[in-house]
Amino acid sequence: MRRTLKVGRIVQDNMLIIEWYFCYLIYLSIKKLYVVVKKDMSNKYFSKKFIGYKVLLLSFAACLAVTALVNAQTVSVNPKLLNGSWSAHWITCPDIQARAYGVFHFRKKMMLSEVPEHFIIHVSADNRYHLFVNGQSVGRGPARSTRYNWNFGTYDLAPYLQNGKNVIAAQVWNMGEYAPVAQLSQETGFLVQGNDSLSETANTNTSWTV
């Protein structure tokens, strides 16, 4: 029997914004470094070394930006889910302590007569998840949350699906007593909510195994 967790409002997790935010932080660091060493640019050795570090940091920022754009999916969220209750249930592993350290594997099998154009789901976990479809990595999350505003990720699984048998799986872990102070936790759990009547077949409920 799976336990249902009581958490606060679910809010969408936009990893693209997070990655761009890190790029912006790198830019600010470069700008600050330039101001600090500008007075000493007459030192040729130091000048060349500084330029080398600047190029390295800019390259790193560019890689992050490209990664964000490549991995980003432009998918919409059903407005009813943002303002109403979800039909899916939080599920967990039976007979474990609510906030103890552990790594768990959740799995669901589905049969499809044909691959739909879109199959959008919303995923969250406490603490973290790594989502797979038919053995392919789809995404990780969620961003750190509060107990009143818990984040989720949105994915279109259509590119990963196939006719016939499909397997949605997730590796979920709770860092327990080893978690950083900023990592809040209510109880180890996993949540999948479909965006429409078709994708609701992936909802977390008693059809999932752990």
Side-chain angles (χ1 to χ4, degrees):
M1 194 70 180
R2 308 315 199 269
R3 287 174 285 180
T4 300
L5 309 185
K6 294 181 179 180
V7 298
R9 184 170 61 92
I10 298 289
V11 295
Q12 189 175 18
D13 172 14
N14 195 326
M15 296 305 295
L16 178 60
I17 293 178
I18 294 173
E19 289 183 333
W20 274 107
Y21 176 70
F22 277 112
C23 293
Y24 179 66
L25 289 180
I26 293 173
Y27 165 75
L28 291 180
S29 299
I30 295 173
K31 186 176 180 180
K32 186 176 181 180
L33 179 61
Y34 176 77
V35 172
V36 171
V37 302
K38 188 177 180 180
K39 297 179 181 180
D40 199 21
M41 290 297 287
S42 58
N43 186 319
K44 294 183 179 180
Y45 172 75
F46 186 79
S47 176
K48 291 180 180 179
K49 188 176 181 180
F50 166 70
I51 292 174
Y53 279 124
K54 185 175 181 180
V55 170
L56 181 62
L57 287 172
L58 285 173
S59 299
F60 180 67
C63 289
L64 279 179
V66 171
T67 301
L69 290 173
V70 170
N71 293 333
Q73 282 188 329
T74 55
V75 292
S76 59
V77 181
N78 188 335
K80 294 181 180 179
L81 297 177
L82 297 177
N83 300 306
S85 300
W86 288 17
S87 57
H89 297 278
W90 283 90
I91 59 175
T92 188
C93 181
D95 305 320
I96 63 169
Q97 296 181 11
R99 300 180 187 175
Y101 173 84
V103 180
F104 311 94
H105 298 270
F106 294 84
R107 180 183 177 93
K108 178 182 175 66
K109 296 179 182 178
M110 295 190 315
M111 296 297 295
L112 293 176
S113 57
E114 61 179 2
V115 177
E117 182 179 359
H118 295 288
F119 195 96
I120 299 172
I121 63 171
H122 314 295
V123 186
S124 191
D126 185 349
N127 299 156
R128 301 274 295 167
Y129 69 83
H130 186 180
L131 182 68
F132 299 86
V133 174
N134 294 325
Q136 299 183 68
S137 175
V138 176
R140 296 177 175 86
R144 285 180 181 172
S145 313
T146 69
R147 296 189 182 99
Y148 297 98
N149 294 282
W150 204 265
N151 291 295
F152 68 90
T154 299
Y155 307 94
D156 188 351
L157 302 187
Y160 305 92
L161 299 174
Q162 60 192 12
N163 292 334
K165 178 182 174 182
N166 291 269
V167 177
I168 302 177
Q171 184 181 59
V172 175
W173 61 95
N174 191 326
M175 295 302 295
E177 62 270 27
Y178 305 107
V181 176
Q183 180 66 68
L184 300 180
S185 176
Q186 176 73 16
E187 180 179 349
T188 299
F190 181 58
L191 178 69
V192 174
Q193 169 65 52
N195 197 58
D196 52 31
S197 57
L198 174 61
S199 54
E200 281 182 352
T201 56
N203 280 11
T204 42
N205 47 40
T206 55
S207 65
W208 282 74
T209 58
V210 56

